[in-house]
């Protein structure tokens, strides 16, 4: 795949608003396929002319907290699949950095051209005490069977619904022979 053009614009204001935009256009790529049984060759398009976009809007606040909107989009020429994925991500920590709540709401939409499109959903939630010796948390992660971000991301597995809890006691100062 040959990149014909790529543009990236990003920055952050004094008020903590970050904006990032990336666009790339790629050339059509063909492969030559040889049938050794019939001794014939043919050309096959393996990646069509395509336009890739990423947009991120991120607002930092309250010290270490942030909320972000992320969108990725791939538009391909012809009868190849197009895809769009959007996420709303929040990470909220109190001013003393003692407690943290984070969450993600994510949606994917794949247009297959030759069959029905699919829309998938994924989410995650975390709440916990993240400071001091005694730490604890609760989390939940979910993705349905149609969640697919593999056009401009990577997902090894979807179709899960996981709950978890953690409790730990951590020491941060050396004690005796232990570091």
């Amino acid at each position: 795949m040959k990149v014909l053009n790529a543009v990236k614009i990003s920055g952050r204001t004094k008020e903590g608003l970050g904006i990032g935009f990336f666009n790339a256009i790629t050339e059509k790529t063909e492969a030559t396929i040889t049938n050794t049984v019939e001794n014939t060759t043919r050309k096959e398009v393996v990646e069509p002319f395509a336009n890739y976009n990423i947009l991120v809007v991120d607002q930092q606040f309250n010290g270490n907290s942030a909320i972000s909107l992320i969108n990725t989009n791939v538009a391909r020429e012809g009868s190849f699949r197009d895809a769009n994925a959007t996420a709303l991500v929040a990470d909220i920590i109190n001013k003393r950095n003692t407690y943290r709540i984070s969450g993600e709401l994510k949606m994917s939409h794949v247009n297959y051209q030759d069959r029905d499109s699919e829309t998938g959903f994924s989410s995650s939630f975390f709440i916990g005490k993240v400071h001091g010796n005694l730490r604890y948390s609760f989390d939940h992660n979910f993705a349905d069977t149609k969640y697919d971000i593999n056009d401009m991301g990577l997902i090894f597995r979807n179709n899960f619904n996981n709950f978890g809890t953690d409790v730990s006691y951590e020491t941060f100062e050396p004690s005796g022979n232990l570091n």
Side-chain angles (χ1 to χ4, degrees):
M1 169 180 9
K2 181 179 179 184
V3 176
L4 298 175
N5 186 29
V7 175
K8 175 186 158 190
I9 300 168
S10 64
R12 187 170 297 280
T13 67
K14 291 178 185 176
E15 292 78 29
L17 177 65
I19 299 174
F21 174 74
F22 174 79
N23 175 269
I25 298 171
T26 59
E27 185 175 57
K28 177 173 77 171
T29 303
E30 293 181 332
T32 302
I33 300 169
T34 303
N35 182 333
T36 57
V37 174
E38 298 176 1
N39 200 24
T40 59
T41 62
R42 65 180 166 85
K43 289 201 179 274
E44 186 77 30
V45 175
V46 292
E47 181 67 27
F49 178 81
N51 186 356
Y52 296 84
N53 293 288
I54 303 170
L55 174 67
V56 178
V57 178
D58 172 74
Q59 178 64 57
Q60 295 177 334
F61 61 94
N62 198 27
N64 291 330
S65 299
I67 187 164
S68 306
L69 178 68
I70 305 160
N71 179 265
T72 65
N73 180 280
V74 181
R76 295 180 176 98
E77 183 178 56
S79 61
F80 288 81
R81 71 188 244 166
D82 297 331
N84 188 71
T86 304
L88 180 62
V89 179
D91 195 22
I92 301 168
I93 303 171
N94 68 328
K95 282 196 182 267
R96 294 189 59 211
N97 293 323
T98 309
Y99 296 97
R100 178 175 155 234
I101 298 174
S102 61
E104 299 178 357
L105 297 173
K106 300 176 277 191
M107 185 190 79
S108 66
H109 180 79
V110 178
N111 183 0
Y112 289 102
Q113 308 293 338
D114 60 343
R115 64 179 203 250
D116 290 342
S117 61
E118 290 185 346
T119 300
F121 178 75
S122 176
S123 65
S124 68
F125 175 75
F126 171 93
I127 185 167
K129 182 176 180 274
V130 293
H131 182 268
N133 297 103
L134 180 63
R135 298 176 183 215
Y136 48 88
S137 65
F138 169 80
D139 61 86
H140 176 246
N141 296 289
F142 169 83
D144 67 13
T145 58
K146 295 180 181 179
Y147 183 66
D148 181 358
I149 59 168
N150 285 320
D151 289 271
M152 283 189 65
L154 181 62
I155 184 170
F156 291 112
R157 186 173 70 91
N158 59 9
N159 191 25
F160 56 84
N161 190 15
N162 301 328
F163 293 86
T165 59
D166 292 302
V167 177
S168 66
Y169 185 84
E170 301 177 20
T171 55
F172 300 98
E173 297 296 325
S175 175
N177 292 331
L178 300 175
N179 244 343

